[in-house]
Amino acid sequence: MTTSQALRDALADRLKASGDLDDPAWERAARDVPREAFVPDGFMRALPGTHPTLYEPVKPTDEGWLEGVYDDATLITQLDGHVRAVDLTAPRTATPRRRPLCRPWCCACGSSSA
């Protein structure tokens, strides 16, 4: 089992235990689809206690990137509509852009909601 697979299974297990993952088809998707494929350039993480909020880039080469991909949280992929994690070398303030999804932990649903 790869680290990615272990993290997918752990996320699915947590969501199932909490009652948030109760459909077998969604459970299969959570276990089978690698979330990291949807954030190849990384993501931004809000730094707690900052105001205005500072966002730090989390890149695929950073320690903890893969674990962050499998947090039960919405991943911010752009700031100000165009700035990606790979574009940053330090934290910055900005307006996050999140792609609305039908479920916050799923990157594979193909939802076209905007």
Side-chain angles (χ1 to χ4, degrees):
M1 181 182 312
T2 66
T3 301
S4 175
Q5 184 65 60
L7 291 168
R8 285 196 302 271
D9 287 339
L11 176 61
D13 291 343
R14 287 192 312 272
L15 293 169
K16 190 171 181 178
S18 71
D20 292 328
L21 188 58
D22 58 2
D23 181 304
W26 281 108
E27 182 178 350
R28 276 193 308 280
R31 292 184 189 281
D32 294 345
V33 177
R35 284 178 62 143
E36 61 271 23
F38 296 90
V39 288
D41 295 329
F43 58 93
M44 268 65 79
R45 178 180 308 154
L47 294 174
T50 59
H51 185 75
T53 304
L54 275 173
Y55 295 90
E56 70 176 340
V58 183
K59 301 174 186 178
T61 55
D62 293 341
E63 186 174 328
W65 171 77
L66 191 60
E67 291 79 6
V69 169
Y70 288 96
D71 281 346
D72 183 16
T74 301
L75 299 178
I76 299 169
T77 57
Q78 290 183 357
L79 297 173
D80 294 332
H82 67 279
V83 178
R84 302 167 302 150
V86 295
D87 300 326
L88 299 177
T89 57
R92 69 174 274 181
T93 59
T95 303
R97 180 174 181 186
R98 304 171 201 197
R99 180 175 174 213
L101 299 170
C102 58
R103 296 191 186 215
W105 45 263
C106 177
C107 293
C109 66
S111 170
S112 61
S113 62

